[in-house]
Amino acid sequence: MATTTASATETHTEQAGRNRGQRVLGRVVLYVVATGFALFAALPFAWMVLTTFKADSDLYRPANNPFVYNDPPTWHNINLLWNDTSYPTFILNTLLVAVVVVLITIAVVVPAAYALTRLTGRWGESLGILIFLVYLVPPTLLFIPLTGVVADLGLQNSKWAMVLVYPTFTIPFCTWLLMGFFRGVPWEIEEQAMIDGYSRIQAIWKTVLPVSLPGILTVVIFSFTLSLHEFVYALAFVQSSDQKTVSVGVFTELIRGDVFFWQSLMAAAALVAFPVALLYNYFLDRFIAGFTLGAVKG
Amino acid sequence: MKHPTFRTDRDTMARVETRNLVKQFTASGAPAVNGISLQTTDGEFLVLLGPSGCGKTTLLRMIGGLEKPTSGDILIGDRVVNDLPPRARQIAMVFQSYALYPHMNVRNNISFPLKAAKLDKAAIEQKVQWASSILGIDQLLDRKPRQLSGGQRQRVALARALVREPNVFLLDEPLSNLDAQRRASARDELQVFQHEIGTTTIYVTHDQVEAMGLGDRIAVINDGTIRQLGTPHEIYEDPADTFVATFLGSPPMNLVERDGDLVGFRPEAVELVPPEHGDASSWLHLTLAEAREEYLGSEKLIYGEIDGVRVVARVHAGTPMPAHEGGKIPITVNRAALRIFDKDSGLRRQPASDSVSASPAEEASA
């Protein structure tokens, strides 16, 4: 009897030890895999930054290791980008287009998503999905009819063409996105605000919108980045350098014939990509906090 | 917006009245509220009691202005408020979920209605202090709703309702999210609170114990209509129909068929030992088949059948089971405790108010 117990205890501790060993091993594997993926994801960016500061003599010699500076790094390529191309104009155009598109999107999407979740009864859901389907029509197809619209409005070769056209894909998707957030808002808090002495509009402003702030931020970031990297429409509607955005401007100005200004191209892409990456990272915590806030019962 | 008045100088126009109120959500379906007329008195605690889906919450939401009635009138303080938005009705409502604003701390939750009324800062602070001290939540003012327990949330919701100095409180099952222990004490607190504040209160619940304990009067609602409106005593003792009779009481009133009528009696009206004195004709003798007992500590329940209908008797735990053969035991019920209902309509045979004074013999033969 005693031996049985002892051996049982032994097996038990053995078991526990094995479990602990497995846990540690699991952790190690997890971190190795995660680090691998992180490096894999970071490599293009690192390469981009590295290339930006390379001299031509270094970059174009096939025998050189592409990941180290064989010749001393140089500011020359950034100088070229900043002073000898319209890059600053591209940046300003891009920012202008993106900010106005975000404002238009918010102004349309908030009332639309509210109405679809709250006021249209059971039709709202199906309508929302139908609106979302519009997003799935590819721009390569849509730019043909849209060219007519843009021409009729006299917006050919103008950045305002993009301000007009980009909401056609930000609004459907963001409406659908925000509907999901609005569905998570306990409606009693809006009714409570109406009983507490506010009109419906005030109630929405003071209760529904603050509670769905994570959703609204998601809409902002989503439509901002979409406007930032959109290519097809920008290429189709704009020809002059002073109206171009970064995505089309950079490649038309920095690929001259068969000469690629690789370092400046990389610099142009990195200068736009990093602020957006930082923006995402900064808001990510807010997002997560926001999501858990929404989950708590009002 | 008008400066909200304090209780001391508030006009006493706080009666709530509904006239033939109907609410139909879909054109084809049955109406959720089907012609309800009721009137509260000033300062009354009126409970709307009914099973889920009976229309009681819809009725409350119409009074609050959150639903538009299909037809009929709502009056608050003798004024028709049908077309007034909720904010103009001078009411306060506590939802089942408490509907605290999750992005505001307790202080801002409570002061939210006051900011709508555009009170100055000092007055707001004073009122928040007043309401939170009444409800014992002054320590929690800087917390967010998610950091509060269910009971604390309920108090915050009450405090927020209180600062509005409303003409009417509308409460929609405010205790149903609390655990059983907390609910009993919250019920008591709520009653004391309402008597102190003296504000007309309409309270929706499906819990008959809450209704009986809290209400000055109870409106029993089923299928969108009021089945009976009366004091807890009236509702319990003189149910207007078989629905009210079987909805209230735990276990509910027994209904057995005698001479083409339904005869109802409460489980506690049943005697196991036939009384030796008194007029024999004042007692109804019945035989309970397949009797079995359930011991509950202070009392015991005797289950059985009469003519295939389940009957329950409630007696003191010390009462001995009478000798029985084949599970059959004789029971007696005082005829004064009998309530006779029409078998087809389920309505009481005679006006409810007459039944108490009516002589037992007459009632039994009616």
Side-chain angles (χ1 to χ4, degrees), chain A residues 105-129:
Chain A
T105 305
I106 289 288
V108 174
V109 151
V110 169
Y114 178 86
L116 283 170
T117 39
R118 184 82 167 115
L119 305 176
T120 46
R122 52 209 171 80
W123 285 101
E125 197 63 21
S126 330
L127 272 173
I129 290 168

Side-chain angles (χ1 to χ4, degrees), chain A residues 118 186 188-200 202 206-208 210-211 293 296-298, chain B residues 61 66 86-87 91-93 95 97-104 112-113 115-116 146 153 160 164 177:
Chain A
R118 184 82 167 115
E188 284 105 349
I189 65 171
E190 184 194 349
E191 296 183 328
Q192 181 76 60
M194 283 161 69
I195 283 184
D196 280 350
Y198 295 90
S199 69
R200 181 167 211 141
Q202 285 173 318
K206 284 174 188 287
T207 62
V208 178
V211 171
L293 174 89
V296 168
K297 206 170 168 191
Chain B
R61 288 170 60 84
L66 297 171
R87 64 177 184 278
I91 46 167
M93 188 159 172
F95 286 84
S97 64
Y98 309 138
L100 299 181
Y101 307 117
H103 55 299
M104 300 180 193
F112 194 66
K115 285 174 187 153
R146 63 173 174 275
R153 288 179 194 191
R160 184 177 56 187
R164 262 178 81 69
N177 278 343

